[in-house]
Amino acid sequence: MINKKQSLTLLGAVALSVSLSACSVFDWLIYKPDIAQGNYMELQQVEKLRVEMTKEQAEYILGRPVLRDSFADNVWYYVYHFKSGRDASITHKELILFFEDDLLVKVEGDYKLSEDFDTPLESGALPSISSPSVEPLLPEQDPASIRRDAKPLVEENRLEKENDVPTGNENMPKGE
């Protein structure tokens, strides 16, 4: 037979093991934020890169790199790391730019380059938008508000005579 002391010890051990495992069982109830670090880049940005671009042009398109080589500023690293808070999945992307004489010569990494990458900017056509031009949207206007005889929202102070000069004291109460 199990005595009272043994049953309390067994009950305590069961309660302790259930409470410790409860954290992993109810883990989906706990909010965990997404963590994004580094340079997030769209594919459209990377497709604008061309061989023989200057460092300034590349930095204008992609932003400042996460890492530049301290001893030779010819290699730039763009790194993006994203950890989802919900399912702990990790996305890691890299883009490495190589320069010679301050001109872009090679790009490596996880992004697909455009087909025009090997065409220098000076000899190739600039990227263009293929969508037709769009007219700007104007808000709908009430026909009554367009009338010329409509009462203004704010009354103006009118001068009594043509030779009157405004002094700036028209709105002050009399006697001051």
Side-chain angles (χ1 to χ4, degrees):
M1 251 304 122
I2 300 177
N3 63 14
K4 192 174 188 180
K5 188 175 185 179
Q6 288 176 336
S7 63
L8 283 175
T9 305
L10 181 62
L11 184 63
V14 169
L16 181 64
S17 66
V18 168
S19 67
L20 290 177
S21 67
C23 292
S24 63
V25 172
F26 298 109
D27 194 34
W28 57 274
L29 288 174
I30 300 170
Y31 173 74
K32 295 177 184 168
D34 296 336
I35 300 171
Q37 296 177 321
N39 297 87
Y40 176 75
M41 290 180 291
E42 295 282 340
L43 184 58
Q44 295 141 350
Q45 290 174 290
V46 177
E47 287 178 346
K48 291 179 183 177
L49 291 176
R50 299 286 185 267
V51 71
E52 296 182 8
M53 273 188 160
T54 64
K55 289 182 178 182
E56 291 81 16
Q57 290 171 328
E59 187 172 336
Y60 180 77
I61 292 172
L62 300 176
R64 290 190 174 259
V66 171
L67 179 65
R68 292 184 187 183
D69 191 354
S70 299
F71 300 105
D73 193 30
N74 294 331
V75 181
W76 289 3
Y77 296 91
Y78 290 87
V79 180
Y80 177 68
H81 188 83
F82 178 82
K83 181 178 179 185
S84 173
R86 178 57 63 193
D87 60 359
S89 63
I90 294 176
T91 303
H92 185 83
K93 291 191 172 192
E94 293 181 0
L95 185 71
I96 305 167
L97 304 182
F98 297 92
F99 296 94
E100 284 183 14
D101 299 325
D102 290 339
L103 297 176
L104 183 64
V105 291
K106 184 170 83 169
V107 176
E108 293 179 356
D110 299 321
Y111 294 90
K112 183 181 179 216
L113 297 174
S114 73
E115 298 160 356
D116 297 330
F117 174 74
D118 293 325
T119 306
L121 271 178
E122 290 80 25
S123 61
L126 293 174
S128 62
I129 299 173
S130 60
S131 65
S133 63
V134 178
E135 293 292 323
L137 296 175
L138 299 174
E140 293 183 19
Q141 294 182 351
D142 183 21
S145 67
I146 300 175
R147 295 186 325 201
R148 295 192 188 270
D149 60 343
K151 183 179 177 186
L153 295 175
V154 178
E155 292 291 329
E156 296 178 13
N157 291 333
R158 304 272 180 183
L159 299 175
E160 300 279 331
K161 300 176 191 171
E162 290 182 19
N163 295 336
D164 285 345
V165 177
T167 60
N169 297 331
E170 288 83 16
N171 295 332
M172 294 186 71
K174 303 277 189 218
E176 288 186 20

